[in-house]
């Protein structure tokens, strides 16, 4: 074989390898580690709340993603999702905002703002020495009630805000109460299209096709109509993206195994899909593609998802975009 032909084969293999590793629905190229940071940590600046941190292990500077858990859930229930996103080059931080809570989310908004501000003084003490957080690129995300909290902080509800700038906002099947007119305090949804003034902050809203369907007569929908992802996207200004996964439910992005009573309840409270892995991969991949577009200026993978590219682990039921 000629040297030029061998060189051509080498370039082809390299391109195929790069394309494969860029697929956001599979694990990325970075080795990752899950760290637990609790309030008793012996450092000058312990965090305001206990944290679970997924970080790449290779030397480098990485954007930060804050992930807020759903109502009465544990941050550890999101460990597989966190590691997936982190493997694509992001530091993912999930605080445990509470263990027991009433309907009001004011304390959660306040705590989230405090944690984001803590990042600049405390996070470096817990990361591997070769890893640096890029605090000029922070994305705020949340699932269910945590999604509402993320939007509330981004909108500076009740005067709460973080000193560090939030560059992107993600709602993972966000919920604001039990229906229209039945919001939990403080209400976030306005039911007025494009009313969320986020100063052109990119927004991603992911919905579950089964979330608005009740499990049975005893268990109502976990993401009810009038208070779910559709309404959050409707109220959002562009640029905003909205994806709905068909045949998957409100809890299907959690870990396969969620321990304890709370973990057991996640399998029985909501109408779910057949298994969690496809939805978790879809959520993780869509979040990665969105982060690449909004924080790194590379919208290639997000466009592929919009165009229903091969490799997507779920069927997209609905898609909308606001420019």
């Amino acid at each position: 074989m000629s040297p030029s032909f061998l060189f051509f084969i080498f370039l082809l293999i390299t391109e195929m390898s790069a394309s494969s590793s860029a697929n956001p629905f599979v694990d990325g190229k970075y080795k990752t580690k899950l760290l637990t940071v609790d309030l008793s940590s012996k450092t000058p600046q312990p965090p305001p709340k206990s944290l679970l941190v997924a970080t790449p292990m290779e030397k480098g500077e990485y954007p930060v993603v804050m992930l807020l858990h759903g109502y009465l859930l544990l941050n550890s229930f999101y460990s597989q999702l966190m590691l997936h996103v982190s493997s694509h080059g992001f530091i993912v931080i999930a605080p445990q905002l509470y263990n027991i809570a009433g309907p009001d989310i004011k304390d959660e908004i306040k705590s989230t703002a405090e944690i984001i501000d803590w990042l600049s003084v405390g996070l470096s003490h817990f990361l591997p020495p070769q890893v640096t957080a890029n605090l000029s690129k922070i994305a705020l995300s949340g699932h269910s009630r945590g999604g509402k909290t993320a939007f509330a902080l981004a909108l500076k509800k009740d005067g709460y805000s973080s000193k560090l700038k939030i560059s992107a906002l993600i709602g993972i099947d966000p919920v604001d109460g039990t229906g229209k007119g039945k919001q939990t305090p403080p209400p976030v949804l306005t039911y007025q299209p494009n009313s969320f003034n986020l100063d052109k902050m990119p927004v991603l809203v992911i919905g579950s096709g089964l979330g608005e369907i009740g499990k049975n007569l005893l268990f109502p929908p976990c993401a009810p109509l009038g208070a779910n992802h559709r309404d959050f996207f409707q109220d959002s200004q562009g640029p905003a993206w909205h994806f709905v996964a068909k045949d998957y439910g409100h809890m299907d992005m959690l870990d396969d195994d969620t321990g304890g009573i709370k973990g057991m309840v996640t399998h029985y409270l909501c109408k779910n899909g057949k298994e969690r892995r496809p939805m978790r991969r879809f959520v993780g991949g869509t979040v990665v593609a969105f982060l690449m577009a909004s924080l790194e200026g590379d919208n290639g993978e997000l466009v592929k998802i919009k165009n229903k590219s091969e490799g997507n682990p779920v069927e997209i039921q609905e898609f909308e975009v606001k420019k």
Side-chain angles (χ1 to χ4, degrees):
M1 296 183 190
S2 68
S4 60
F5 179 75
L6 291 174
F7 183 66
F8 170 77
I9 295 297
F10 171 76
L11 288 178
L12 182 62
I13 293 173
T14 302
E15 183 177 347
M16 291 175 63
S17 176
S19 175
S20 174
S21 64
N23 181 353
F25 297 119
V26 301
D27 290 341
K29 65 181 183 179
Y30 295 98
K31 293 182 179 179
T32 57
K33 186 175 183 179
L34 206 58
L35 310 172
T36 300
V37 181
D38 57 42
L39 301 180
S40 62
S41 300
K42 296 180 180 180
T43 66
Q45 294 285 345
K49 297 285 184 179
S50 297
L51 308 174
L52 192 63
V53 180
T55 177
M57 293 302 292
E58 294 182 26
K59 182 178 180 179
E61 184 179 57
Y62 304 96
V64 173
V65 184
M66 185 77 68
L67 174 61
L68 309 180
H69 60 81
Y71 185 52
L72 299 180
L73 300 182
L74 300 180
N75 56 1
S76 60
F77 293 171
Y78 300 85
S79 61
Q80 288 177 288
L81 176 62
M82 293 172 65
L83 288 169
H84 178 163
V85 175
S86 182
S87 73
H88 287 269
F90 300 94
I91 298 170
V92 186
I93 301 171
Q96 187 63 49
L97 293 173
Y98 57 85
N99 289 308
I100 299 176
D104 198 310
I105 68 164
K106 289 181 182 177
D107 287 344
E108 292 143 69
I109 303 171
K110 179 175 181 288
S111 295
T112 302
E114 291 173 345
I115 294 165
I116 292 175
D117 289 340
W118 169 86
L119 297 177
S120 62
V121 296
L123 181 59
S124 61
H125 296 293
F126 301 97
L127 294 176
Q130 71 277 16
V131 172
T132 303
N134 184 347
L135 298 182
S136 68
K137 296 180 178 180
I138 298 176
L140 179 58
S141 68
H143 167 232
S144 191
R145 171 168 163 147
K148 169 180 175 168
T149 303
F151 271 84
L153 179 59
L155 291 165
K156 301 180 181 179
K157 280 286 181 180
D158 289 345
Y160 292 118
S161 62
S162 58
K163 296 176 183 176
L164 293 175
K165 180 183 177 182
I166 299 169
S167 299
L169 180 62
I170 303 168
I172 303 171
D173 224 16
V175 177
D176 186 4
T178 59
K180 189 171 183 178
K182 300 177 182 178
Q183 296 165 265
T184 52
V188 171
L189 293 171
T190 65
Y191 303 102
Q192 297 176 16
N194 307 311
S195 58
F196 287 168
N197 184 7
L198 294 168
D199 195 25
K200 297 297 182 180
M201 181 191 303
V203 174
L204 170 66
V205 180
I206 300 174
S208 63
L210 300 180
E212 56 197 24
I213 301 173
K215 177 81 171 181
N216 50 45
L217 293 176
L218 297 177
F219 296 108
C222 289
L225 287 169
N228 67 14
H229 56 94
R230 303 180 195 283
D231 307 286
F232 277 89
F233 178 75
Q234 174 183 269
D235 285 3
S236 295
Q237 298 177 359
W241 299 71
H242 181 211
F243 295 92
V244 182
K246 186 178 181 181
D247 297 329
Y248 288 92
H250 187 63
M251 299 290 189
D252 283 338
M253 69 293 299
L254 301 182
D255 289 356
D256 291 326
D257 298 316
T258 47
I261 295 177
K262 288 185 177 181
M264 180 179 66
V265 168
T266 67
H267 289 278
Y268 298 102
L269 184 63
C270 307
K271 189 171 182 62
N272 302 317
K274 293 181 179 179
E275 57 177 323
R276 288 179 169 177
R277 187 176 186 274
M279 180 61 169
R280 188 173 60 246
R281 289 287 179 178
F282 171 70
V283 171
T286 305
V287 166
V288 167
F290 172 74
L291 293 173
M292 292 300 297
S294 58
L295 301 183
E296 306 293 352
D298 179 5
N299 66 353
E301 294 302 321
L302 193 58
V303 171
K304 288 181 184 178
I305 299 175
K306 181 195 76 169
N307 294 336
K308 300 183 179 180
S309 62
E310 293 183 8
N312 193 331
V314 306
E315 181 181 346
I316 295 178
Q317 178 177 305
E318 300 169 41
F319 165 75
E320 299 175 270
V321 64
K322 295 179 182 180
K323 297 183 179 179

